[in-house]
Amino acid sequence: MPRFDDKLIVLDPDQRLGAAGTGGMDALKRHPFFQGVNFSGDMRNLGLKRALRETESQELRQRRIDEAPDTTLPKFRYALVEPGKPILTGLLLKKNRFWIKQERRFELYMEGFIRYFENTKVKGEMKLTPGAKAVHLSRTEVEITLPENKKNYLLVQQDLSKCPAKSQYFSCGLNDWVDAINYVLETINEESAF
């Protein structure tokens, strides 16, 4: 059975899901992808962009990356990461409420949260919501502001010579973390507006 997104990108416009020959918009609205959606209600907060991003096939993602003018941009660099998997992992220092620096392993997810660990034990989670931001305070410090939770987190870069080598989905560098966090926040803001 063809996937939902495959039915939308059929080359022949008359055969696409939603076309008059396929049952029109009523057939599109009845598709299981839209189960639970009240089409006569407020359509602004459905999260359709997020749902489309999360259900996009790997083949389609790869094609988009192959055609990208700059694959180092976050929207292409993290495009092949499966939903529910971290787009960036790294070792950073987190300042606690007593200003003590604690080494933690951080994982950033496109779903809008950062989880941090002490060894393998989850120590906490930061929920990224519209209005949140990551800002450099200095070359080695970043503040993550979460206005919805009324919390701020201070992250400090470790000595990079003591960190594992940087890779596509792993970095101890704060620049990579600020770029990735702000990319996730931009995506959350875009998706909440659609």
Side-chain angles (χ1 to χ4, degrees), residues 14-84:
D14 295 330
Q15 297 302 311
R16 286 185 202 137
L17 182 61
T22 64
M25 289 304 292
D26 289 332
L28 180 66
K29 291 177 184 179
R30 284 191 309 270
H31 191 278
F33 180 82
F34 295 111
Q35 183 177 359
V37 173
N38 176 5
F39 284 96
S40 58
D42 185 355
M43 302 295 288
R44 289 178 291 194
N45 296 319
L46 292 176
L48 294 178
K49 271 190 171 180
R50 179 178 177 177
L52 289 172
R53 175 181 48 80
E54 290 178 353
T55 58
E56 183 179 47
S57 70
Q58 285 291 100
E59 179 185 341
L60 193 56
R61 291 179 194 187
Q62 186 63 56
R63 196 172 336 145
R64 211 168 16 92
I65 293 168
D66 292 344
E67 296 170 1
D70 182 1
T71 58
T72 63
L73 294 172
K75 72 179 186 177
F76 301 115
R77 186 174 17 172
Y78 303 128
L80 293 178
V81 177
E82 296 175 36

Side-chain angles (χ1 to χ4, degrees), residues 97-152:
R97 65 178 172 243
F98 305 110
W99 296 93
I100 297 171
K101 297 175 188 174
Q102 303 166 316
E103 182 179 83
R104 298 287 183 252
R105 178 173 53 88
F106 286 81
E107 294 180 348
L108 172 63
Y109 293 80
M110 276 306 297
E111 290 77 11
F113 63 92
I114 301 169
R115 198 171 278 150
Y116 53 96
F117 301 79
E118 180 178 14
N119 299 316
T120 58
K121 182 181 177 190
V122 175
K123 293 299 282 185
E125 188 171 289
M126 299 176 215
K127 179 75 174 135
L128 303 174
T129 57
K133 60 184 173 185
V135 179
H136 280 280
L137 298 178
S138 70
R139 191 175 55 81
T140 59
E141 281 194 339
V142 166
E143 181 178 48
I144 300 174
T145 306
L146 305 174
E148 192 169 287
N149 302 339
K150 296 182 176 133
K151 281 188 118 176
N152 293 357

